[in-house]
Structures are given as structure tokens and as C-alpha cells.
Amino acid sequence: MKLPICLPVALIATLTHMLAVAVRGDEVQSASTPTCAAAVDNYFADEVWTKVGAQKCLNCHKAGGDAEESHFVLRDPQRETGAERAAALRHNRDAFTRMAQASEGNASRLLVKVTGGLNHGGEIVLPADSSGYRILADFVNRGTRPSDDPAADDRDSQAPPLFQGITMLDDRRHWRRVTLSLAGRLPTRDELETIRAHSLAALPGLLDKLFEEKAFYERLREGFNDIFLTLGVDGNADQVVLGYEHFTKTRHWYQHHDLSHIQNEDERRRAGYKLADDYRQALLAEPMRLVDYIVRHDRPFTEIVTADYILVSPLSARGYGIYDEIKDRFQDANDPDQFIPVKLKALAGRGRETDQESATGFYPHAGLLSTFQYLVRYPTTETNRNRQRARMYYQHFLGVDALELAARVSDAAAVTAKYEIPTMQAAECVVCHRTVDPVAGLFQDYWQFADGLAVYGRRKEGWFKDMFAAGFEGEDLPAAERWRALQWLGERTAKDPRFAVAMVEHVYYILTGRKVLLPPQAIDDPLYPARRRAYREQRRAIERIAADFAKAKFNLKHVFLDWVMSDFYRADGLESAASNPCRLAELDDLGLVRMLSPEQLEHKLKAVFGESWGKLDRELAMLYGGIDSKEVTERASDPSGAMGALQRIMSNDVACRQTARDFARPASERLLFPTIEPGVLPGDSPEGDHALRQAIAYLHERLLGRDDAVDSPEISRTFDLFAGVVQDAAAQPGLDKREAWSCRQSSPTPPEDPHYTIRAWRAVVTYLLRRQEFLYE
């Protein structure tokens, strides 16, 4: 459960109307159709297509599928938008109806086929005692008497809206969530005033300004690397990204770089090490700098698969051997953090046989697809034959998990013995390979896989004949386009509706730390309707945002804005307890509650205290749930004992360092205690206690984002902690009148602490840093 359990028992929701609209689109909802037809449509969309057709039939029975030459060919509604999606669903309903009404003896052809009869190539799809079979049997009966029971589809028209009973963040906390998540900072006073005056209407303008901040692009690159993992190239980048065959004279330029102006030998050696490290980091950074460049300059995000350029820095440009040609384009040629777009010339090998084919004389750039970093991060092998690359392509750019296209082969040995080329002949293999292998063939010019030798290189024997021909979704690659095959792929990807949907899903992940919901598969699960409703409601939001994304010429900033404005992002908690299992299942993934990543926690500490902790990097970052983009590629979503220990260490260390330092500043410059002095003691006077409570409320707001009244239970709890520490200290004789040495050493003029109040405030800060509101988002 992602939200606190606190909402009233709700009615069991059923989904007929909402799912029908979600699957068929708004056009179907507004269409003028007879009641009986609408009922059949609802049943087909919600039951037959959702539970059987999309899961069991579509992979083979579609254009480009293994059964494309049969009389039962379906269309994938997810590949269509608007009216075409509704048309695809009607096409599928008609195909099912024709198959259901065709007779084989005394049975429907549809039911005979799914149970493996009539030499069905897919063999047994649904056993006769399965729920899926019963759904088809019911559809067969309805197909012959569609209006016999029109009330059968009127299932629970009283279903409550999905967000009923959900409390939303107030505008101030909503904007705080945005600034901390996307810019690693707290809202400014001016921003809060704007929010207070204009409410949500102010968000687009505020976001436009936030999109200009350097921190946003750091977060953008960090978030997309979590998806593409291009920082995880194994080995030194100058060795593996820039291959020996094509960059032998330039990739190690730093080894001969003139550092003679550094007189001290040790300093010169260290400078050389740093130069090499900066160069390697620049090479690794290039793919995410492409993402940065596209978004920063409001270019269509389709360019991540179509851009005919790459981004290079002054350091990486030397590795490519193009620095002298472009050095005048750098504002500061000594700035390793500056990247500019360039086109590479066609690769020239050490021998003519390894020269790159090119009809234009230039490298055929295709966004990320053709970058050396992406190709090296997802390498091929003699047996894999680029299939891993094809799988990652589908996952990254179309949101399709190729491994889920069909069930695993039950008896690989038997299949191998029966077929000469199982991947092209066995139905259970073809269902995946007919999709994956053509895309694998589009990567055929990047066949080198010896470390450090090259990335580009054609297979000497030509591409494999025992694989489906290079192409995409049923369209073969023309021979004249082979030299630019990845550009050809990128152009088709950009036009595929699934691309926009996949990018919207990526932004959702960056904002929430969670993957989008997958359609539930267990149709016999009693909670299936609730889980299906949750999936469809989220899917409707994704598809709406994807449509807006396309209308905005694929400007990714619009996707961030749409998600930030959505109820999915603003959901905060439940109004009262919910005990109905169906309602709980519907709400299970709502709300934004995740443990901050190591990077985000450091950013938040810097936002609150003016400086980060500085220790959650490398090994400690990994221990705290981070990734290395190599072996560890998924961030930990649940805290471990080690993470809890690090949280305690962090809270102690940061509070120790920052509390005394803040009191050492003039009140006007303090970040934590601008309205209170160490001499104010609890219990001395009502005015003093009120001032202490106000100071605590300020800390609650700054650290936790809470807007607690000074007389609230939350403030009282923290006040009691502060007063208790002071009281305990007063009972101890001989206590040092100053803060502990380790906590005051960072302050050049540490204040005196004769009443132990500074140390009591340190206890308060420690307590607040351990609160869920600080450690989680």
C-alpha cells in the first residue's frame, strides 16, 4: 500500500462503463449506437478482448505475426490513436464474431481452435475448463442472440470515481514536492506568493522558469540514465567506446597532452590522472547530454531516435579526432562540462575493408540508437545475434517487453529435434522471433564484440539467413537503406504511437520512482476487476498525456507539466480507513511515497542546510539503494537494516554539524533558527514557550514541508522533546557549557551553550531528519 490506510469503506467498484471508454476511446463514448450494440461492445472490450484476445491471440494473429496469413487477423489498438483505436477494436470484434459464428460440426470454430483443434498452429491456447474458454463460450452465445440479456453488462453503475476519498496536496506542498524532485531545492518566497495568489494556474509559468535551472537538467540526466543505463559501460570508456579499429590515433590523446606548464612532478602526474578521468566521464556522459540538449532547446523528443548528431565536449572531441575542426564553437575550450552537437564523418578503418559504408560521407547518426555508448552498453555475441539490442530497443523506446510476448518454450529439446530452424518454424518460438529478429538485423553493421577492437563492423559471412529478414513490424528493410538501417528504424519509431506512450511512462518513473502498472493477467483473481480498473485509469491518463505530447510536437517539458498537474502526482493520503479489499486493490499504487535515492537525499540536505552531507556516494550510495548502472540496475524500493543505519548516522552527523553552525551566524543569515536564541528556555514564560513553538513550526515547515499550527499535537511532541533534553541536562552536574567539540569544530566562532539548548535543538533536528516526511517523498 503506497498511502496511509485511512479512508471509509467504499462500494465495490465495477468497471464496465469506464473500461469500455478507456479501451475504445472518447470517440466510442460519443458515438450514437443502439443500446444492444453498446452492450455487446462493452462485453467484448471488457471481457473478450481484455482477458483473452489481447493476452492470448494478438501476438500471432496480426500483421507480421506467425498467423498473419490466416483468415483471423487482428489489429493492436495500442498502436493506434483516436478514432483509429476505436476502429481497431471494432475490427477485432468483427473478426471474433465471424470466427464465433463459423461452425465446425456442432461447435463454434472459435472454440475448436482455442482448444487446439483443426491443426491450430498455436496448439492449445485455452483448456476447456479455463475461465478464458468460458468467456469465449459466453461470447459465442451472445453472438447468436446479442440482445437476449441487455442488463448483463450493466454491472455496478454506482462505482465511485477512482480518486474519491483521496486527499490532495495543498498548493504549497505540491510545489515543494516539484522543486525538491526536479530542482533539488526548496520553493522561493516569491514562488510561494505566486502559488498563494493564483493556485494551480501558476504552475505552468513556474515550471517554465524551473526548466531553465541547471539542477533540473542534472536531475533529467540522472533520471534517464536510470532507464537507459549508459553510464554503465564496462571498462575504460576510451578503450571500449572508441574502438581501436577506427580511433587508434586519437582515443588516447591524453597520454601525450602537454602538461609541461605544471612544474611539480607530483602535481603534473595528478593532473594527468584527472585529465584522463574527466575525458572518460565526458565520453560516458554524451548519451544523456543528448537527452539534455533536446529538452533544453525544446526540440522534438523523437530526436532521441532520429537525431543526426551527437553531443561532444572539448575532451571527447579530441578522442574522436575532430577537436581542431570545431574548437572555435566552444565558448570555453577548457570547460569539460560544455557539450555541443556535431556530425561525425563516416568511420575510416585501419584497412579499407573496415571503412564504414555511407552514401553521404557522414556517420548515419540515429539518436541514442547509433551512439557507441548505447551499442557497447548492450553488446551482442555470436549466439545472441543482436537480439539483446532488439529487446532493449523495444523496452526503451516502445515500452514493450519482448520476453513477455509469449510463454517460454516448454520442451526446448523436443522443439529443436522437430524443427530445422525452430526460431522461424516453431510457433512458440516464432511469436517472439518474428518481432525481435528483424530489429536485430537492423543492427547488423554493429557486429564487432571483441573488447576495445571496434563497435562498427559487418559480419564477414553476411547477415544470418536463419533469422527473419531485417525490418520492423512486418516491413522489410530495403536493400538501399541498409547502410542507414538505424536511421530507418528511428524514423519509424518516431511515428509509432507506442513511442509517445513509452516516453510518458519514463517521465512517470522519474517523478515517482515506480514503473507504470501492467495489465493484470490473473483473470480468476477475485480482485481482478479492481486491479484492472486501477490499470485502466492510469492507462487513460498515460494515453491522454501521450496525445498532448504529440500535439506539442513531442516537447518533453509538456509531459512533466501534465504529470505534475495530474491527480496521480498530487495524491497525498486517504480521508478515512478503507477495509473493502476491492477498493484497497484499486488504490494500492496511488500516492507518491518512496524512499529518496542517495542523490535525491543529498540534494534535499543541500536545499535545507545549504550543503549536502557528502557521504552518500560510491559504496555508501550502493548500500543506500543506489545503482552502478552495471550489475546493480534497479534502485532498492524498500529500506534494509543497512539503510536504516545510514539514516541514523546521517541524521546524527548532519544535525551535529549544522545546528551549532547555524546559531553561530547572525539571526538574519540563519537557515534553521532565524527567530530564536539559545537563551530562550522552555517553561520560563508563556511568551518564551510561544517563541519556541514558532521556531519548531518553522523547522517542521523547512525540513518536513508541514504547515503545523503552534498548538498542534505535532508541535507539542517536538516541544516536549526539546524541553525534556533541557530538563535532563539541568539535572546533570558538571556539563560542558559548550557544544561537543566534534559538533562545533566546523564553526570558527561556536556560540556558548550554558543551558544546553543548542544541544537540545540538535536533538530536535536529529529527530526531524529521521522522520518519514524527510527521508521519503
Side-chain angles (χ1 to χ4, degrees), residues 174-175 178 182 200-208 211 507 511 544-545 555-566 569:
H174 184 194
W175 181 243
V178 173
L182 295 182
L200 288 179
L203 252 65
L206 292 175
L207 269 173
D208 281 344
F211 290 148
V507 173
L511 286 170
R544 174 184 58 79
I545 295 173
N555 188 324
L556 197 72
K557 293 174 183 175
H558 285 261
V559 180
F560 278 97
L561 173 61
D562 282 352
W563 272 128
V564 163
M565 297 284 284
S566 73
Y569 189 76

Side-chain angles (χ1 to χ4, degrees), residues 171-172 189-203 206:
D171 296 341
R172 181 187 57 82
R189 183 172 300 177
D190 288 344
E191 288 171 341
L192 292 177
E193 287 298 325
T194 302
I195 287 287
R196 187 175 293 111
H198 302 287
S199 188
L200 288 179
L203 252 65
L206 292 175

Side-chain angles (χ1 to χ4, degrees), residues 8 141 193 276 324 481 575 675 726 770:
N141 292 332
E193 287 298 325
D324 289 336
E481 299 277 21
E575 292 176 355
T675 64
V726 173
R770 294 186 186 183

Side-chain angles (χ1 to χ4, degrees), residues 282-577:
L283 284 171
L284 293 180
E286 287 178 358
M288 294 305 98
R289 288 289 181 167
L290 174 63
V291 171
D292 178 318
Y293 179 83
I294 293 169
V295 177
R296 189 188 297 267
H297 293 88
D298 296 321
R299 301 177 73 90
F301 204 65
T302 50
E303 289 193 2
I304 65 167
V305 291
T306 64
D308 62 348
Y309 57 89
I310 59 172
L311 272 291
V312 300
S313 76
L315 301 183
S316 61
R318 289 179 166 90
Y320 292 110
I322 60 174
Y323 175 73
D324 289 336
E325 301 172 30
I326 64 172
K327 60 183 178 182
D328 293 338
R329 293 177 53 196
F330 291 107
Q331 295 179 357
D332 181 358
N334 294 316
D335 180 5
D337 201 40
Q338 183 184 173
F339 288 77
I340 63 173
V342 300
K343 279 186 179 182
L344 296 179
K345 293 179 180 177
L347 302 178
R350 298 173 68 246
R352 294 194 63 180
E353 69 278 3
T354 56
D355 286 352
Q356 183 175 33
E357 291 183 5
S358 173
T360 62
F362 288 97
Y363 184 89
H365 295 290
L368 289 183
L369 292 173
S370 61
T371 61
F372 302 135
Q373 295 87 343
Y374 190 81
L375 294 163
V376 168
R377 177 60 184 81
Y378 301 104
T380 188
T381 65
E382 185 72 40
T383 54
N384 179 265
R385 302 181 179 185
N386 284 334
R387 287 170 176 138
Q388 181 194 20
R389 288 171 173 166
R391 178 201 167 201
M392 300 315 299
Y393 157 80
Y394 271 104
Q395 181 173 308
H396 286 155
F397 303 107
L398 296 179
V400 175
D401 186 351
L403 293 182
E404 296 299 324
L405 291 178
R408 305 293 184 269
V409 175
S410 56
D411 189 342
V415 170
T416 302
K418 182 177 180 180
Y419 298 99
E420 182 181 356
I421 308 175
T423 57
M424 300 182 71
Q425 297 170 328
E428 51 196 319
C429 301
V430 170
V431 67
C432 288
H433 284 274
R434 188 180 283 274
T435 296
V436 171
D437 284 7
V439 174
L442 297 176
F443 287 90
Q444 63 183 274
D445 280 0
Y446 300 90
W447 179 243
Q448 296 299 319
F449 40 84
D451 287 347
L453 176 61
V455 178
Y456 174 84
R458 299 181 298 278
R459 188 170 181 263
K460 292 181 180 179
E461 300 84 354
W463 195 239
F464 296 94
K465 302 300 183 183
D466 55 348
M467 293 176 65
F468 291 106
F472 176 68
E473 298 287 317
E475 180 183 2
D476 289 343
L477 173 72
E481 299 277 21
R482 190 197 54 74
W483 70 273
R484 59 180 299 274
L486 295 184
Q487 289 183 336
W488 184 87
L489 175 62
E491 292 161 1
R492 280 144 186 79
T493 305
K495 296 176 182 178
D496 193 311
R498 293 173 295 178
F499 172 81
V501 169
M503 297 309 109
V504 170
E505 292 175 348
H506 290 338
V507 173
Y508 178 86
Y509 174 72
I510 291 172
L511 286 170
T512 68
R514 297 199 303 276
K515 301 292 180 65
V516 297
L517 294 174
L518 296 174
Q521 302 292 320
I523 63 176
D524 292 324
D525 182 356
L527 297 178
Y528 176 89
R531 301 191 198 283
R532 177 70 187 175
R533 183 188 184 202
Y535 164 75
R536 283 307 312 166
E537 286 292 325
Q538 187 187 79
R539 185 56 36 180
R540 290 180 69 184
I542 291 170
E543 291 168 356
R544 174 184 58 79
I545 295 173
D548 290 345
F549 179 37
K551 290 178 183 177
K553 297 181 180 179
F554 296 98
N555 188 324
L556 197 72
K557 293 174 183 175
H558 285 261
V559 180
F560 278 97
L561 173 61
D562 282 352
W563 272 128
V564 163
M565 297 284 284
S566 73
D567 287 343
F568 287 92
Y569 189 76
R570 295 179 61 232
D572 186 40
L574 309 183
E575 292 176 355
S576 54

